[in-house]
PDB file of all heavy atoms in Angstrom:
ATOM      1  N   VAL A 208       6.145   1.680  -9.982  1.00 91.00           N
ATOM      2  CA  VAL A 208       5.298   0.739  -9.288  1.00 91.00           C
ATOM      3  C   VAL A 208       3.997   1.473  -9.014  1.00 91.00           C
ATOM      4  O   VAL A 208       3.999   2.549  -8.427  1.00 91.00           O
ATOM      5  CB  VAL A 208       5.939   0.280  -7.941  1.00 91.00           C
ATOM      6  CG1 VAL A 208       5.010  -0.652  -7.201  1.00 91.00           C
ATOM      7  CG2 VAL A 208       7.291  -0.380  -8.179  1.00 91.00           C
ATOM      8  N   SER A 209       2.874   0.910  -9.499  1.00 94.00           N
ATOM      9  CA  SER A 209       1.578   1.544  -9.315  1.00 94.00           C
ATOM     10  C   SER A 209       0.679   0.658  -8.461  1.00 94.00           C
ATOM     11  O   SER A 209       0.689  -0.559  -8.618  1.00 94.00           O
ATOM     12  CB  SER A 209       0.891   1.776 -10.669  1.00 94.00           C
ATOM     13  OG  SER A 209       1.675   2.633 -11.459  1.00 94.00           O
ATOM     14  N   ILE A 210      -0.059   1.295  -7.578  1.00 93.00           N
ATOM     15  CA  ILE A 210      -1.011   0.579  -6.725  1.00 93.00           C
ATOM     16  C   ILE A 210      -2.393   1.132  -7.057  1.00 93.00           C
ATOM     17  O   ILE A 210      -2.663   2.326  -6.870  1.00 93.00           O
ATOM     18  CB  ILE A 210      -0.673   0.771  -5.239  1.00 93.00           C
ATOM     19  CG1 ILE A 210       0.712   0.219  -4.958  1.00 93.00           C
ATOM     20  CG2 ILE A 210      -1.747   0.077  -4.376  1.00 93.00           C
ATOM     21  CD1 ILE A 210       1.278   0.590  -3.626  1.00 93.00           C
ATOM     22  N   TYR A 211      -3.241   0.276  -7.612  1.00 94.00           N
ATOM     23  CA  TYR A 211      -4.602   0.645  -7.987  1.00 94.00           C
ATOM     24  C   TYR A 211      -5.541   0.191  -6.887  1.00 94.00           C
ATOM     25  O   TYR A 211      -5.498  -0.979  -6.487  1.00 94.00           O
ATOM     26  CB  TYR A 211      -4.995  -0.030  -9.300  1.00 94.00           C
ATOM     27  CG  TYR A 211      -4.303   0.522 -10.503  1.00 94.00           C
ATOM     28  CD1 TYR A 211      -2.987   0.196 -10.777  1.00 94.00           C
ATOM     29  CD2 TYR A 211      -4.960   1.384 -11.363  1.00 94.00           C
ATOM     30  CE1 TYR A 211      -2.336   0.710 -11.893  1.00 94.00           C
ATOM     31  CE2 TYR A 211      -4.320   1.905 -12.478  1.00 94.00           C
ATOM     32  CZ  TYR A 211      -3.012   1.569 -12.734  1.00 94.00           C
ATOM     33  OH  TYR A 211      -2.371   2.076 -13.827  1.00 94.00           O
ATOM     34  N   VAL A 212      -6.372   1.082  -6.406  1.00 93.00           N
ATOM     35  CA  VAL A 212      -7.415   0.725  -5.435  1.00 93.00           C
ATOM     36  C   VAL A 212      -8.689   0.490  -6.235  1.00 93.00           C
ATOM     37  O   VAL A 212      -9.146   1.366  -6.964  1.00 93.00           O
ATOM     38  CB  VAL A 212      -7.611   1.835  -4.367  1.00 93.00           C
ATOM     39  CG1 VAL A 212      -8.684   1.401  -3.370  1.00 93.00           C
ATOM     40  CG2 VAL A 212      -6.301   2.134  -3.673  1.00 93.00           C
ATOM     41  N   MET A 213      -9.223  -0.706  -6.107  1.00 94.00           N
ATOM     42  CA  MET A 213     -10.379  -1.140  -6.886  1.00 94.00           C
ATOM     43  C   MET A 213     -11.582  -1.377  -5.983  1.00 94.00           C
ATOM     44  O   MET A 213     -11.419  -1.622  -4.792  1.00 94.00           O
ATOM     45  CB  MET A 213     -10.041  -2.440  -7.631  1.00 94.00           C
ATOM     46  CG  MET A 213      -8.762  -2.409  -8.443  1.00 94.00           C
ATOM     47  SD  MET A 213      -8.872  -1.365  -9.893  1.00 94.00           S
ATOM     48  CE  MET A 213     -10.041  -2.261 -10.855  1.00 94.00           C
ATOM     49  N   ASP A 214     -12.767  -1.342  -6.578  1.00 95.00           N
ATOM     50  CA  ASP A 214     -14.008  -1.675  -5.872  1.00 95.00           C
ATOM     51  C   ASP A 214     -14.588  -2.906  -6.554  1.00 95.00           C
ATOM     52  O   ASP A 214     -14.998  -2.836  -7.712  1.00 95.00           O
ATOM     53  CB  ASP A 214     -14.977  -0.493  -5.941  1.00 95.00           C
ATOM     54  CG  ASP A 214     -16.295  -0.763  -5.221  1.00 95.00           C
ATOM     55  OD1 ASP A 214     -16.382  -1.743  -4.466  1.00 95.00           O
ATOM     56  OD2 ASP A 214     -17.235   0.021  -5.430  1.00 95.00           O
ATOM     57  N   GLU A 215     -14.592  -4.029  -5.844  1.00 96.00           N
ATOM     58  CA  GLU A 215     -15.088  -5.279  -6.431  1.00 96.00           C
ATOM     59  C   GLU A 215     -16.595  -5.205  -6.606  1.00 96.00           C
ATOM     60  O   GLU A 215     -17.322  -4.739  -5.722  1.00 96.00           O
ATOM     61  CB  GLU A 215     -14.715  -6.468  -5.541  1.00 96.00           C
ATOM     62  CG  GLU A 215     -15.005  -7.789  -6.188  1.00 96.00           C
ATOM     63  CD  GLU A 215     -14.330  -8.949  -5.490  1.00 96.00           C
ATOM     64  OE1 GLU A 215     -13.178  -8.778  -5.019  1.00 96.00           O
ATOM     65  OE2 GLU A 215     -14.950 -10.015  -5.401  1.00 96.00           O
ATOM     66  N   ASP A 216     -17.063  -5.668  -7.750  1.00 94.00           N
ATOM     67  CA  ASP A 216     -18.492  -5.633  -8.082  1.00 94.00           C
ATOM     68  C   ASP A 216     -18.859  -6.988  -8.667  1.00 94.00           C
ATOM     69  O   ASP A 216     -18.351  -7.378  -9.711  1.00 94.00           O
ATOM     70  CB  ASP A 216     -18.781  -4.512  -9.074  1.00 94.00           C
ATOM     71  CG  ASP A 216     -20.261  -4.234  -9.221  1.00 94.00           C
ATOM     72  OD1 ASP A 216     -21.068  -5.124  -8.923  1.00 94.00           O
ATOM     73  OD2 ASP A 216     -20.600  -3.121  -9.639  1.00 94.00           O
ATOM     74  N   ALA A 217     -19.758  -7.699  -8.015  1.00 87.00           N
ATOM     75  CA  ALA A 217     -20.132  -9.031  -8.454  1.00 87.00           C
ATOM     76  C   ALA A 217     -20.971  -9.037  -9.721  1.00 87.00           C
ATOM     77  O   ALA A 217     -20.937 -10.000 -10.484  1.00 87.00           O
ATOM     78  CB  ALA A 217     -20.898  -9.750  -7.349  1.00 87.00           C
ATOM     79  N   LEU A 218     -21.680  -7.948  -9.995  1.00 91.00           N
ATOM     80  CA  LEU A 218     -22.604  -7.944 -11.132  1.00 91.00           C
ATOM     81  C   LEU A 218     -22.051  -7.274 -12.388  1.00 91.00           C
ATOM     82  O   LEU A 218     -22.612  -7.435 -13.458  1.00 91.00           O
ATOM     83  CB  LEU A 218     -23.910  -7.252 -10.736  1.00 91.00           C
ATOM     84  CG  LEU A 218     -24.652  -7.896  -9.556  1.00 91.00           C
ATOM     85  CD1 LEU A 218     -25.871  -7.086  -9.205  1.00 91.00           C
ATOM     86  CD2 LEU A 218     -25.023  -9.320  -9.888  1.00 91.00           C
ATOM     87  N   SER A 219     -20.993  -6.494 -12.241  1.00 93.00           N
ATOM     88  CA  SER A 219     -20.399  -5.855 -13.410  1.00 93.00           C
ATOM     89  C   SER A 219     -18.890  -5.744 -13.222  1.00 93.00           C
ATOM     90  O   SER A 219     -18.337  -6.291 -12.266  1.00 93.00           O
ATOM     91  CB  SER A 219     -21.018  -4.463 -13.626  1.00 93.00           C
ATOM     92  OG  SER A 219     -20.682  -3.626 -12.553  1.00 93.00           O
ATOM     93  N   ARG A 220     -18.278  -5.025 -14.103  1.00 93.00           N
ATOM     94  CA  ARG A 220     -16.826  -4.839 -14.063  1.00 93.00           C
ATOM     95  C   ARG A 220     -16.434  -4.084 -12.790  1.00 93.00           C
ATOM     96  O   ARG A 220     -17.121  -3.128 -12.390  1.00 93.00           O
ATOM     97  CB  ARG A 220     -16.425  -4.048 -15.308  1.00 93.00           C
ATOM     98  CG  ARG A 220     -14.972  -3.969 -15.558  1.00 93.00           C
ATOM     99  CD  ARG A 220     -14.756  -3.318 -16.892  1.00 93.00           C
ATOM    100  NE  ARG A 220     -13.335  -3.245 -17.158  1.00 93.00           N
ATOM    101  CZ  ARG A 220     -12.793  -2.446 -18.036  1.00 93.00           C
ATOM    102  NH1 ARG A 220     -13.555  -1.651 -18.750  1.00 93.00           N
ATOM    103  NH2 ARG A 220     -11.508  -2.440 -18.217  1.00 93.00           N
TER     104      ARG A 220
END
Side-chain angles (χ1 to χ4, degrees):
V208 177
S209 298
I210 300 168
Y211 289 77
V212 181
M213 308 291 292
D214 180 13
E215 190 165 322
D216 193 338
L218 301 177
S219 65
R220 191 173 180 199

